[in-house]
Amino acid sequence: MEIVRLLRAVAVELGRHSARFANQNGMHPTDVRALIALMDADRAGEEMTAGRLGGALGLNSAGTTALIDRLERAGQVRRVRSEGDRRRVVVEVDQRAVALGQTFFGPLIGSAVALLQGYDERELAAVRGFLDGVREAAAEG
């Protein structure tokens, strides 16, 4: 149970860190989650439609449209035509949002990367397996 309590404490602190970022930048916490989902999709080389973004965030169509409109007005995202199918509109995160996030979250990410460098491949596999299992359990719940 000690590990579960630590995981819960980490989740709380990460949530507080994200909330500070949102507050400092006049954003809603869902805006931050949307930007993370968009950046993760970009890193994976995947296009993100409004429908897919809404599904990832648990939002209905109207809520997703309002979210994208808000982020677009703030210069955080843009709607563009899909490279593969010009009829599809995808949502992309603007580089200004990436830079803003890097400025705030970069030190935390750097600390996490430095901690992980102290682990060997077997230990990293155990950490990866644990976190992936917890993520899957949370997604099912």
Side-chain angles (χ1 to χ4, degrees):
M1 286 305 293
E2 178 187 359
I3 299 294
V4 172
R5 283 192 294 274
L6 283 170
L7 181 62
R8 185 175 52 233
V10 167
V12 167
E13 289 304 323
L14 289 174
R16 289 176 50 171
H17 195 72
S18 182
R20 281 191 299 274
F21 174 79
N23 287 337
Q24 287 177 11
N25 293 286
M27 300 169 80
H28 188 277
T30 303
D31 298 350
V32 179
R33 290 183 20 239
L35 292 173
I36 291 168
L38 289 165
M39 285 187 276
D40 287 347
D42 184 57
R43 281 188 203 100
E46 301 169 352
E47 292 184 331
M48 182 72 83
T49 63
R52 185 168 167 232
L53 179 61
L57 300 174
L59 298 175
N60 63 25
S61 180
T64 302
T65 298
L67 167 72
I68 295 169
D69 288 347
R70 184 170 61 244
L71 290 173
E72 195 171 41
R73 280 191 307 274
Q76 305 288 342
V77 304
R78 64 187 162 277
R79 291 174 170 102
V80 297
R81 295 281 173 200
S82 168
E83 292 284 326
D85 182 349
R86 303 296 294 164
R87 296 170 296 179
R88 280 180 54 195
V89 174
V90 296
V91 183
E92 293 181 347
V93 68
D94 189 273
Q95 286 306 308
R96 291 173 290 184
V98 173
L100 184 66
Q102 180 61 35
T103 299
F104 188 87
F105 291 101
L108 175 60
I109 293 168
S111 294
V113 169
L115 284 169
L116 289 170
Q117 289 173 343
Y119 293 90
D120 64 30
E121 283 304 314
R122 196 177 113 264
E123 292 168 323
L124 288 172
V127 170
R128 192 177 298 112
F130 173 75
L131 292 174
D132 196 41
V134 171
R135 182 194 54 77
E136 286 177 12
E140 292 171 3

